[in-house]
Amino acid sequence: MHKATLDYAKQQDELDELSMYRNQFHIPKDKNGNELIYMTGNSLGLQPKQTKAYINQELEDWANLGVEGHTEAKNPWLAYHEFLTESMANVVGAKPIEVVTMNTLTANLHFMMVSFYKPTKTRYKIIIESDAFPSDKYAVESQLRHHGFDEADGLILWKPRKNEELLRYEDLETILEKHGNEVALIMIGGVNYYTGQYFNLKRITELGHKYNCMVGFDCAHGAGNVELNLHDSGADFAVWCTYKYLNSGPGSLAGCFIHERHAYNKDLNRFTGWWSHNKKTRFNMRHEFDVLPGAEGWQLSNPPILSMAAIKASLDIFNEVGIKKLTEKSKKLTGYFEFLLKQLGEDTIKIITPVNSNERGCQLSIQVLNADKALHNKLTEAGVISDWREPDVIRCAPTPLYNSFQDVYHMVDKLKDILNKKN
Ligand SMILES: *Cc1c(COP(=O)(O)O)cnc(C)c1O
């Protein structure tokens, strides 16, 4: 059977042992009730059908128990974040003591910089990727200003070479050879949101540590998408959100990783609140501050339980499937997507995401020759939900939990139709 046929895609779906998980998600529909081809799990993941029941449980316990729910709810609220820790640690390849779910992503990034960006007069610079996600760039710039440094001087950009899209490790090495002893922090998007390039976190960390820099990653596009192995990477910290590949709902809480080597370091400066304090004496309210060990010691507030319930609903699915099986399917699905796109002709389509499946997750960033946003709009009219980034990139992320080989087939087929009509 030829690979570039709908029959082949259908066969792959039949062979796929994770195909039944699609049915555990609400797939958005068009006005006529037809399922859309949803390729933006990298932006907002779809809703698991079980999320409503998880949230309802907490609404009911709140209705029936009021404040007693903190200890008497089916899932007592005081400890609710602990119910997420182990699954979250599995998703990002960390030890439970290294992981906590709290705040939102950019907020966590700032809290991590309070602890791990400790500039001195001579070592104060921060390295980020040149096309870092805007929020990350604004966050590090404001940290520089907060400490009295000039962002034009303090920010070093790791840039692609001329006429290239992807970043090369040799160029980061060159930056460090030149500026290594001025750099306080390297903060990189673990999977770049624009190109989909998945960096070798361990390699970057080892390089940074060789020059005594702190190293942190924003894994917003990595968590739930690739096997991050955060513990083994040796990174000092990492942050991520849960509303992209982790399907926990718009604006839901974020994750935070602090490497075990910092877990018992009470001297590490940090911003604190009552939730960073020893659980046993937290409610005595009069004690000297006694920080919790591990990532939990960076919490500030009692967390929003309704949002945590949505995270639990999603993580229970990830736990059941396992990130290994998920990434195995992901490589097949994205590999098939890449194969079909290439059939459209390499002079029309350029995929800027790395070709090597170990250097990317499920997202492909596609440049279409002479395309503008009109192409993206036509795709939307044809029922494909994708993401447009100026100047000329369509980002599509077939996620292994709920996207099918048929989704991928139909997406490329519709793109082909649109391109044919244009010519
Ligand atoms: C999605 C994303 C953000 C968004 O930040 P919020 O604080 O959740 O609004 C920031 N950085 C990266 C790299 C992202 O992918």
Side-chain angles (χ1 to χ4, degrees):
M1 195 188 299
H2 195 275
K3 271 178 87 173
T5 59
L6 183 56
D7 281 343
Y8 180 86
K10 282 183 179 161
Q11 187 195 53
Q12 291 307 299
D13 282 328
E14 277 159 26
L15 293 171
D16 168 23
E17 59 170 323
L18 303 186
S19 62
M20 71 283 197
Y21 282 97
R22 176 181 177 88
N23 195 32
Q24 294 195 17
F25 288 83
H26 292 288
I27 310 290
K29 297 192 172 87
D30 67 14
K31 283 189 219 100
N32 304 319
N34 300 313
E35 284 182 350
L36 294 168
I37 299 168
Y38 194 79
M39 290 284 184
T40 43
N42 57 338
S43 187
L44 183 72
L46 293 182
Q47 184 186 137
K49 289 179 181 166
Q50 66 191 25
T51 299
K52 207 172 258 175
Y54 279 60
I55 292 179
N56 277 341
Q57 175 72 48
E58 304 317 319
L59 286 173
E60 267 175 40
D61 284 346
W62 176 27
N64 295 328
L65 299 165
V67 72
E68 301 296 330
H70 283 300
T71 51
E72 303 306 316
K74 180 168 174 236
N75 311 301
W77 303 329
L78 276 184
Y80 203 102
H81 74 274
E82 296 171 22
F83 308 140
L84 312 179
T85 301
E86 195 166 327
S87 317
M88 191 66 103
N90 288 338
V91 164
V92 298
K95 298 187 178 183
I97 195 168
E98 296 174 317
V99 168
V100 69
T101 305
M102 62 178 190
N103 311 320
T104 50
L105 172 55
T106 309
N108 282 346
L109 186 52
H110 276 295
F111 290 125
M112 289 299 96
M113 286 194 279
V114 167
S115 297
F116 297 104
Y117 174 56
K118 308 253 275 293
T120 66
K121 276 209 171 72
T122 54
R123 185 189 278 277
Y124 58 90
K125 295 190 177 176
I126 304 178
I127 300 178
I128 61 170
E129 329 102 280
S130 60
D131 57 2
F133 195 92
S135 194
D136 299 18
K137 182 158 184 276
Y138 304 151
V140 298
E141 284 172 345
S142 67
Q143 286 281 337
L144 280 161
R145 284 194 299 270
H146 173 68
H147 287 281
F149 298 102
D150 174 22
E151 65 206 52
D153 167 52
L155 198 63
I156 301 181
L157 300 180
W158 178 19
K159 294 191 189 111
R161 293 184 186 177
K162 201 160 180 247
N163 300 321
E164 292 188 354
E165 304 285 344
L166 303 177
L167 294 176
R168 293 171 180 254
Y169 298 99
E170 309 90 270
D171 295 342
L172 181 60
E173 273 164 30
T174 307
I175 293 173
L176 285 165
E177 275 162 24
K178 221 164 151 186
H179 300 286
N181 50 21
E182 301 161 13
V183 173
L185 174 68
I186 301 175
M187 213 301 290
I188 304 292
V191 176
N192 182 270
Y193 84 101
Y194 184 69
T195 62
Q197 181 175 13
Y198 174 25
F199 295 107
N200 185 329
L201 308 189
K202 190 171 179 149
R203 183 166 174 181
I204 294 175
T205 303
E206 283 173 356
L207 193 59
H209 285 174
K210 189 172 122 192
Y211 288 91
N212 294 317
C213 314
M214 287 290 178
V215 181
F217 295 100
D218 184 329
C219 294
H221 282 262
N225 178 27
V226 293
E227 275 193 87
L228 287 168
N229 296 322
L230 286 179
H231 176 80
D232 289 341
S233 78
D236 294 289
F237 70 86
V239 292
W240 59 94
C241 55
T242 64
Y243 51 80
K244 292 174 179 167
Y245 293 104
L246 290 177
N247 309 324
S248 301
S252 196
L253 288 164
C256 190
F257 162 93
I258 295 123
H259 197 276
E260 192 180 27
R261 82 176 79 88
H262 303 298
Y264 298 96
N265 182 356
K266 295 192 178 190
D267 297 331
L268 208 50
N269 196 39
R270 66 183 93 191
F271 287 169
T272 52
W274 67 331
W275 241 247
S276 10
H277 181 92
N278 186 338
K279 291 171 201 174
K280 292 199 185 78
T281 57
R282 183 181 286 154
F283 293 95
N284 297 355
M285 308 292 211
R286 293 284 185 272
H287 275 264
E288 286 286 302
F289 181 68
D290 178 16
V291 75
L292 283 168
E296 284 189 320
W298 270 266
Q299 300 172 106
L300 282 81
S301 300
N302 81 99
I305 299 300
L306 300 183
S307 175
M308 287 213 157
I311 298 175
K312 186 162 189 319
S314 170
L315 287 179
D316 283 355
I317 299 175
F318 275 86
N319 227 3
E320 189 179 300
V321 180
I323 195 77
K324 255 210 158 62
K325 274 220 172 113
L326 212 55
T327 50
E328 265 167 34
K329 171 175 173 185
S330 181
K331 284 179 183 178
K332 281 188 203 154
L333 189 61
T334 294
Y336 185 54
F337 187 27
E338 182 181 41
F339 165 81
L340 292 175
L341 284 168
K342 282 188 170 165
Q343 307 287 305
L344 300 182
E346 303 202 25
D347 40 352
T348 319
I349 296 269
K350 186 180 156 206
I351 300 170
I352 63 177
T353 307
V355 174
N356 182 338
S357 66
N358 294 321
E359 294 173 16
R360 68 184 186 202
C362 69
Q363 175 187 323
L364 293 182
S365 303
I366 308 158
Q367 262 174 339
V368 182
L369 188 73
N370 301 327
D372 53 30
K373 198 164 180 199
L375 172 68
H376 173 258
N377 294 344
K378 282 183 192 151
L379 271 173
T380 309
E381 278 165 34
V384 178
I385 309 300
S386 63
D387 177 272
W388 175 261
R389 288 286 141 157
E390 294 294 342
D392 58 357
V393 166
I394 300 173
R395 299 186 307 162
C396 287
T399 67
L401 266 181
Y402 50 76
N403 282 117
S404 62
F405 288 83
Q406 290 172 73
D407 274 346
V408 161
Y409 177 86
H410 288 306
M411 188 276 162
V412 180
D413 196 48
K414 287 175 193 251
L415 178 61
K416 187 164 88 184
D417 270 0
I418 293 166
L419 292 173
N420 283 345
K421 271 184 206 138
K422 210 167 142 191
N423 297 329

